[in-house]
Amino acid sequence: MQGGETDAIQLQQAVRNSMSQTSGEINLPGLQQNVTVYRDERGVPHIEAASLSDLYMAQGFVTAQDRLWQMDMSRRLTSGRMAEVFGPDYVPSDLHYRKLQLSKAAEESLDRCSAAVREILERFSAGINAYIRQASEQGSLPLEFVLLDYQPEPWTPLDTMLIGKLLAASLSENLKAEIYRDQLRSRVGDERAKELWPVYPEDGYVTIPSGDLADGCTQLDESPLLPENKRLDLSGLLRLLSGSSQGNGSNGWVVSGKLTKSGKPLLANDPHLDYEVPAIWYQTHLNLQTEAGERLNVIGVTLPGVPGIVLGHNDQIAWGVTNAIADTQDLFLEKFHPANLQLVMHQGKWEDVTVVRETIRVRGGADIPLDVRITRHGPILTEVESHDDPDAAVYGLALRWTAYGASAEIEAFLELNKAKNWEECRECLRKIESPVLNVLFAAVDGTIALRTAGSIPIRARGDGLVPVPGWTDEYEWNGFIPFEEMPEVVNPEQGFIVSANNKITDDAYPYLISAAWDTPYRAKRIADQLQRGRELTVEEMSSLQGDLANEQADTILPILLEVLQRQSLSPDEQEAVHILKTWDRLDEAHQAAPLLYHVWDLSLRKHLYEPQMGADLYALMADGTNVTDQMLRRAAEGQESSWIKEAGEFDLLVYQSFQAALQHVISLQGHDSRKWRWGDYHQLRFAHPLSSLLERIGATADVPAYPVGGSRQTVCLMGFAESGRVLSGASWRQVVDLAALDRQSYDILTPGQSGQVGSRWYADQAPLHVKGELRPQLFRPEEYRTGEKLVLHP
């Protein structure tokens, strides 16, 4: 059933067939006892079971009902098997992921699992496979399988481990940044490139200050200069990385009971990831009560394909996470033997590399063989070719990454689901290695805490900013930051903890976590609001999650407007300046000023960087906001960088970029400034991965576009592309009051719970999310049992 061959009637029938059964009874071979699943008004499954075995089997079955195709895409992407379904267009992606060797890392992590966790993974997989069998037999597989004409393979515990590795990949930006900086040095020279090395404002917000502040910016090691004749073709890698997600982070904070109305802690968390449909997260409530008295009652979200709850709360504790922005990836330049690419230089001697033979299967095309070379540092990501000239050096880039270690993150979260206090939670965090996360915690006993969890390498030398020589031990990793010395704060005097991808510790901390932090604007805004508060409530925390104040504009806009005061402005320009001068610095969708400001910001950066570094590198630019903001502040003080001088000096850069921005706004929304709206340009759209195919057969699974406020620098983060399309933001929001976890817990999932095209729960939460609204989590049986009831029988 493909393309134009599918008529509307057939399509409608396929949609109807694929709808999940959410009420009545289903026989589920393998269960020991009945399991009851209640779905509430948002489609959230509340699963009641009498044994752990049945609980996780039922969770697998229910998750597959709503998200099977998404789960299949996730495991295929991570293991480099997309071309088997989509054909030659996905070969570059498959080649990249095969080189990353995440499947091998997943296998090693699976081997490390305890027997108890392995049993959970097996039962969870059994539930998924029971759904696959039933849906296949009944002709009710999700619509995407029908459109693409293929059958899902059985699910295995290894597939679940792959989902964990995919999350680590999505939160690791170092690989891309190192490639960008390496190529920048080649293009503009070492001295000018280092002007764009990452910085952090001296007055930037720090989550855990030591009380003994060192110099305000991280002191970076001298980056090594690599051979000029590396002969590396990075064009393909650059294209892949340019298309990857940018700026994935999160907001999170916890407030002590001494600042809250209820007298107990409040916790708020909203992970920022790419906006996707189906949603990245899957809401679930697990309720276990055994005859022996074992009890588990936990609600929140998980990643489709992963058992348990990743973020959420039980009846004693609540937790959330933010991306720690830790530098966990290093690129090593390996020197190969010119006539034998199975040998690589190390400490003056040739040593063997491991070669893994991969085969990319391509739908509608021939298989593609691939030899992945793995050195002591990791897999080679670039192409290497032998030379007849014995003096011609052959180089390749190897990736060393903490995600390659056998890790136990899934086990950590399964144990965290049962934790009752900070001490138990802290022990669970020992098992997290990749990605590195800031875990925020609150408990009914009044404790609030934050701890950075995961493996962060200790480098013998270097700062992780650029590729380093692999043929010497100079830049090796000397272990990892010890668990007991990782950043941690418990019950701070100020009464709250804020984490928003900002700098975690000041420079008194003895280890390098990262040299490249996100901007401090969101964290500062959150902290400022909490400092002013007393008797804080859930409602105020929810409102803060939707806060549209742009603190970057508070810092940078006055500098830019001062330059314009020195120019002879046209009437249109004067009107635009007036709009900016009278702006309240809120990135509201209905205002004109945010449109002017953000289009000007994009124009200024484009004028400043693109002519000098080229469009390909500019698209990959890392650390851009912190670097640019510091450069502008210093230029206003008479310290112009070489980049500004090359662009034509400070005043000219500011004025010309303003003129270009104004003309672009006029071209977008006309000359009448009264009709300019940030939200007419800045819009949130959820596009199904198969949108084009669905359109060709006369259907659509896309969600209507929403005009939205916010920006990359507001607490209500809405990261956008030059087109104005919003690409990333709060994938899920949660606010909980530890005084009444069963009555005062709220969340919203973007865009909806179901991945089934045509389901009423497919995108029903999107309009609520856009309005900044949360909905109650139904934690008490008397509330959620009023929903649809499905009984799973042995």
Side-chain angles (χ1 to χ4, degrees):
M1 190 182 293
Q2 286 185 310
E5 299 175 4
T6 306
D7 60 25
I9 296 176
Q10 288 177 301
L11 176 63
Q12 290 167 7
Q13 185 61 47
V15 170
R16 283 194 295 270
N17 289 347
S18 66
M19 290 298 101
S20 303
Q21 180 180 340
T22 56
S23 61
E25 300 181 351
I26 293 178
N27 291 327
L28 191 59
L31 285 180
Q32 299 165 351
Q33 302 178 60
N34 286 354
V35 174
T36 306
V37 182
Y38 298 92
R39 276 185 170 82
D40 63 27
E41 61 182 9
R42 290 188 287 154
V44 179
H46 303 261
I47 306 172
E48 295 183 347
S51 72
L52 270 178
S53 175
D54 285 351
L55 181 72
Y56 290 116
M57 183 177 185
Q59 186 186 9
F61 181 86
V62 167
T63 306
Q65 280 188 304
D66 289 334
R67 300 292 190 90
L68 179 62
W69 186 71
Q70 178 189 25
M71 291 158 58
D72 188 59
M73 287 297 100
S74 294
R75 64 175 168 177
R76 284 184 176 278
L77 176 66
T78 316
S79 57
R81 297 183 56 203
M82 295 290 279
E84 294 179 11
V85 172
F86 292 100
D89 288 349
Y90 277 80
V91 167
S93 172
D94 283 357
L95 289 170
H96 178 61
Y97 275 96
R98 293 293 180 99
K99 290 176 184 177
L100 283 177
Q101 289 287 289
L102 289 174
S103 292
K104 181 174 181 291
E107 290 172 3
E108 293 175 357
S109 296
L110 182 60
D111 290 341
R112 177 176 165 177
C113 285
S114 66
V117 171
R118 187 67 184 249
E119 173 63 19
I120 289 173
L121 295 175
E122 294 285 359
R123 294 297 291 167
F124 184 75
S125 298
I128 297 169
N129 290 330
Y131 170 74
I132 292 175
R133 285 193 301 272
Q134 289 187 13
S136 298
E137 292 168 0
Q138 296 168 5
S140 60
L141 282 169
L143 177 65
E144 293 88 349
F145 290 104
V146 180
L147 292 174
L148 295 171
D149 191 25
Y150 80 102
Q151 290 286 317
E153 297 172 357
W155 192 267
T156 70
L158 178 61
D159 296 323
T160 293
M161 307 309 286
L162 281 171
I163 305 298
K165 296 302 179 183
L166 182 60
L167 178 64
S170 71
L171 295 180
S172 299
E173 296 285 309
N174 313 111
L175 164 64
K176 180 168 63 177
E178 285 192 37
I179 294 286
Y180 151 73
R181 295 189 198 104
D182 175 71
Q183 294 297 288
L184 183 65
R185 294 172 88 178
S186 297
R187 248 174 235 190
V188 303
D190 198 53
E191 186 175 339
R192 296 199 62 221
K194 287 185 178 180
E195 291 185 50
L196 305 187
W197 259 217
V199 295
Y200 196 73
E202 293 188 4
D203 58 351
Y205 187 83
V206 175
T207 294
I208 311 177
S210 68
D212 182 22
L213 290 175
D215 195 20
C217 285
T218 301
Q219 299 300 304
L220 303 183
D221 198 355
E222 184 68 19
S223 298
L225 282 171
L226 296 175
E228 289 294 329
N229 61 340
K230 297 194 296 287
R231 296 187 183 180
L232 292 177
D233 180 7
L234 299 179
S235 56
L237 193 54
L238 282 171
R239 283 193 298 273
L240 270 172
L241 296 176
S242 295
S244 64
S245 61
Q246 298 187 26
N248 286 339
S250 305
N251 294 327
W253 62 90
V254 282
V255 184
S256 164
K258 65 184 182 182
L259 297 180
T260 69
K261 185 174 182 179
S262 70
K264 290 289 186 180
L266 297 172
L267 180 144
N269 186 212
D270 52 303
H272 303 147
L273 296 167
D274 291 347
Y275 280 125
E276 295 179 358
V277 56
I280 288 175
W281 303 100
Y282 183 71
Q283 296 168 295
T284 310
H285 178 196
L286 303 177
N287 192 336
L288 168 74
Q289 295 188 45
T290 70
E291 293 180 358
E294 184 179 4
R295 195 164 182 273
L296 175 67
N297 193 19
V298 60
I299 192 170
V301 291
T302 187
L303 294 165
V306 175
I309 298 297
V310 174
L311 305 173
H313 69 84
N314 57 30
D315 45 21
Q316 296 291 318
I317 68 169
W319 69 95
V321 301
T322 65
N323 188 353
I325 316 292
D327 190 341
T328 60
Q329 295 176 318
D330 277 349
L331 287 170
F332 285 83
L333 187 68
E334 305 285 22
K335 187 185 295 183
F336 284 86
H337 192 292
N340 185 354
L341 299 182
Q342 315 307 322
L343 298 175
V344 70
M345 177 65 70
H346 184 256
Q347 293 294 84
K349 298 179 180 177
W350 295 109
E351 66 179 29
D352 292 332
V353 302
T354 300
V355 179
V356 176
R357 171 56 64 94
E358 300 274 1
T359 301
I360 311 290
R361 304 196 187 283
V362 184
R363 186 172 190 168
D367 291 354
I368 300 174
L370 173 68
D371 285 344
V372 180
R373 294 173 175 82
I374 304 174
T375 73
R376 63 172 53 231
H377 299 117
I380 298 292
L381 302 185
T382 54
E383 300 299 324
V384 290
E385 296 181 1
S386 59
H387 290 276
D388 295 331
D389 182 357
D391 297 322
V394 178
Y395 295 100
L397 279 177
L399 174 64
R400 187 164 190 188
W401 185 11
T402 56
Y404 288 142
S407 54
E409 291 78 34
I410 291 175
E411 183 168 354
F413 283 108
L414 286 169
E415 292 182 359
L416 185 57
N417 288 185
K418 301 181 289 185
K420 296 180 177 62
N421 52 50
W422 172 240
E423 290 72 24
E424 292 182 5
C425 171
R426 192 175 185 271
E427 283 304 302
C428 296
L429 303 186
R430 287 183 183 273
K431 296 183 177 179
I432 294 179
E433 294 184 31
S434 180
V436 179
L437 302 169
N438 291 317
V439 180
L440 294 121
F441 171 92
V444 295
D445 66 12
T447 304
I448 65 170
L450 175 143
R451 168 169 262 274
T452 305
S455 295
I456 303 175
I458 300 172
R459 296 169 175 85
R461 185 184 171 193
D463 46 36
L465 290 178
V466 296
V468 294
W471 51 84
T472 170
D473 284 338
E474 244 183 313
Y475 298 93
E476 294 297 333
W477 291 2
N478 292 335
F480 303 92
I481 300 176
F483 180 82
E484 299 301 333
E485 298 181 53
M486 291 285 280
E488 178 181 301
V489 59
V490 182
N491 295 326
E493 183 62 32
Q494 66 182 1
F496 62 83
I497 307 167
V498 175
S499 175
N501 318 121
N502 56 292
K503 196 171 183 178
I504 300 171
T505 63
D506 57 50
D507 292 335
Y509 186 68
Y511 300 103
L512 176 69
I513 298 174
S514 175
W517 303 98
D518 203 346
T519 60
Y521 301 117
R522 286 181 289 121
K524 179 179 181 297
R525 174 66 178 177
I526 296 166
D528 286 349
Q529 296 303 105
L530 295 179
Q531 282 173 339
R532 298 190 187 103
R534 290 294 183 271
E535 296 194 346
L536 295 169
T537 64
V538 165
E539 290 75 20
E540 288 170 301
M541 298 302 94
S542 175
S543 177
L544 184 51
Q545 286 183 330
D547 188 88
L548 300 176
N550 186 333
E551 296 226 347
Q552 184 203 33
D554 282 340
T555 303
I556 299 302
L557 186 56
I559 295 172
L560 301 180
L561 290 177
E562 185 177 344
V563 172
L564 295 187
Q565 288 178 346
R566 300 192 285 267
Q567 312 301 318
S568 297
L569 303 177
S570 70
D572 281 348
E573 291 167 352
Q574 290 174 12
E575 172 63 19
V577 168
H578 174 73
I579 290 171
L580 290 169
K581 278 185 175 180
T582 56
W583 180 30
D584 58 8
R585 315 282 168 78
L586 298 179
D587 282 339
E588 294 174 319
H590 69 270
Q591 291 208 56
L595 175 64
L596 273 169
Y597 175 76
H598 288 292
V599 172
W600 188 6
D601 177 64
L602 290 171
S603 173
L604 190 150
R605 293 198 205 190
K606 205 174 186 75
H607 277 73
L608 179 56
Y609 300 122
E610 190 176 62
Q612 301 179 63
M613 67 171 64
D616 58 342
L617 280 188
Y618 178 63
L620 203 63
M621 187 176 182
D623 322 303
T625 303
N626 277 333
V627 166
T628 306
D629 289 1
Q630 176 174 284
M631 195 181 292
L632 295 176
R633 288 195 299 267
R634 289 183 174 176
E637 298 168 355
Q639 303 175 53
E640 292 188 2
S641 70
S642 71
W643 288 83
I644 288 180
K645 290 176 181 176
E646 187 71 23
E649 63 89 23
F650 184 52
D651 281 22
L652 184 63
L653 168 68
V654 172
Y655 184 42
Q656 287 185 341
S657 62
F658 172 72
Q659 288 180 309
L662 179 56
Q663 290 306 308
H664 187 49
V665 168
I666 291 172
S667 72
L668 289 171
Q669 299 188 14
H671 279 275
D672 188 350
S673 62
R674 294 171 299 180
K675 297 181 178 179
W676 294 348
R677 300 287 184 272
W678 175 225
D680 289 347
Y681 166 77
H682 186 247
Q683 299 198 340
L684 175 56
R685 298 180 180 90
F686 297 96
H688 190 281
L690 301 184
S691 291
S692 58
L693 178 58
L694 287 162
E695 287 174 3
R696 286 202 300 270
I697 61 175
T700 180
D702 290 354
V703 181
Y706 294 98
V708 293
S711 67
R712 188 71 185 84
Q713 306 308 330
T714 56
V715 177
C716 180
L717 187 145
M718 292 283 181
F720 62 99
E722 284 192 32
S723 65
R725 178 172 178 175
V726 175
L727 301 177
S728 61
S731 53
W732 179 65
R733 287 181 179 143
Q734 173 185 224
V735 177
V736 297
D737 186 342
L738 276 293
L741 282 169
D742 60 341
R743 298 187 306 278
Q744 290 290 316
S745 299
Y746 302 86
D747 70 356
I748 204 76
L749 179 69
T750 313
Q753 173 72 348
S754 178
Q756 297 279 35
V757 176
S759 167
R760 65 186 183 280
W761 297 315
Y762 180 71
D764 60 312
Q765 299 185 58
L768 303 173
H769 168 76
V770 168
K771 295 176 186 175
E773 296 182 13
L774 303 181
R775 284 291 182 265
Q777 290 178 335
L778 304 185
F779 202 49
R780 292 179 292 172
E782 59 265 32
E783 292 181 332
Y784 66 72
R785 284 179 179 170
T786 61
E788 297 187 15
K789 179 181 179 181
L790 176 68
V791 179
L792 304 176
H793 294 289

